[in-house]
Amino acid sequence: MGERSFTDDLHALLEVLPPTIRQWLEEQPDLDSLLEVVLDLGRMPEARFMKRTIRLEGTQVEEYDLKYVEERIGEFGKDNRAGIPRTLHRISAIRNRQGRIIGLTCRVGRAIFGTIDIIHDIVASGKSILMLGKPGVGKTTRLREVARVLADEYDKRVVIVDTSNEIAGDGDIPHPGIGFARRMQVPEPSLQHAVMIEAVENHMPEVIVIDEIGTELEAQAARTIAERGVQLVGTAHGNTLENLMMNPTLSDLIGGIQSVTLGDEEARRRGTQKSILERKAPPTFDVLVEIQSWDRVAVHANVAETVDSLLRGYDAPAEIRELTDDGEVRRYLAQTRPTVGPGGWLDTGDRRGRGRDREYGRERPFERTPRELPPGAVPPVRPAERRVYPFGIARNRLEQAIRGSGVPATIAADLDEADVVLTLRNYYRRKPGMLREAESRQIPIYVLKNNTVAQMEQSLLSMREPARAHDPVLAAMRETEEAISQVMAGERSVDLSPANAFIRRIQHQIAQRHNVESRSHGREPYRRVRITPGPAQDFDFERS
């Protein structure tokens, strides 16, 4: 593994700061670890280092300090960002309502060589790579290093679409940190998608590097580029693959997700409900890398297979890569154990009292004994076990149904352990306290017509395919199906949980297919769909 080296031209940033602040910073022993300097009008100057934050006591930022910096840097663009020519430093402005600058964030830009050692084999494979991670975790730094390695070490034609000049620096001459890669600047952020297409049509690249894909037009441009056989390396907003699956704007990057209604025969053959989610198209990016820290990433080596597995309710553990102190890459599978507790909370701890670790909307690696992976290995998938609590039905018959259906399920001892509840129609209509408590906790309730093994097997099979309950879109679809079943069983109306416009649109479509009526009511963010009996009517989804 190559040893990391740094270049940051820190003196260039210090020279544009007011003399008092520059002298204060130069006195700091850990100046090399400076991250950014914050100058807000009327407040003390603030310096943020990797391990601490300090403020210059007895001094406050004046208008002439802000003017001093503004006169020594490049012009601010429409994104309120400016830079220092031939450096990677970025100065971002905060303006008042009249457009006058009242705050500056002066961020240190560093080219760090050796940051892609942990994913070097993936970069060299020629596959399109999408990197995710929270701000400050090093996405842009790695993107810059990817461009340099592909251009210099692999002699590829690399073009960087640099929207904010953050990858190749400010000015017309790019920073040497990108090597022999070429850089195309973007006049304003809204035109990034157009410059992406222009890069392909005019400059014959083998690789295109893009930072911060964030709009539908940019996602479409990325797909167009990938379809022309160009390797794409980019970043997007979000921390995990599940974030993209729940994002209607960016889900196209991983193939897009659509609701599909199966015929009766096909639904029986698959053992699923009639309405399911499926991947719409091949993903734009072949590999997805979740950057968790400077020395740790989670790799989904086959995005298409991972998305398909998640939509079918199976685990698709990522490959964890960690860079050790001696420069070696340690690789193993993330062990996940997703279960759904009260109110839709994800519980990755032991439910019998040995400590819960709850986090809403995503799952963490549950690491017990990591399994080492050989290079290039693709993580296997395994079905998620469901815990079924029987209310008013025969346990011995349920055990027989579990064995007969082959569904990975166990019988829960009480409601606290249950992922789903199984009951009979006559109990559900009377709504005893146990079922009311299950509904208040938002635990799914499956209603049987008869207390027979065949009925139980059919319900168990319908539990096998639905995707993870902690995914809001999939959970909303299942809630809609259950509400429709309640209405068809005699309920006058059922209100669904509050949801955004995208989810409400899907709920209206499901109601239409089942020939029941649905209407949205309430104000945002509590607007929700109400399901009532009666024929479905033409619905203006734009007004949902």
Side-chain angles (χ1 to χ4, degrees), residues 115-132:
T115 57
I116 65 165
D117 289 345
I118 199 168
I119 56 169
H120 193 282
D121 58 319
I122 303 173
V123 172
S125 69
K127 295 180 179 179
S128 292
I129 306 166
L130 182 64
M131 292 188 280
L132 304 178

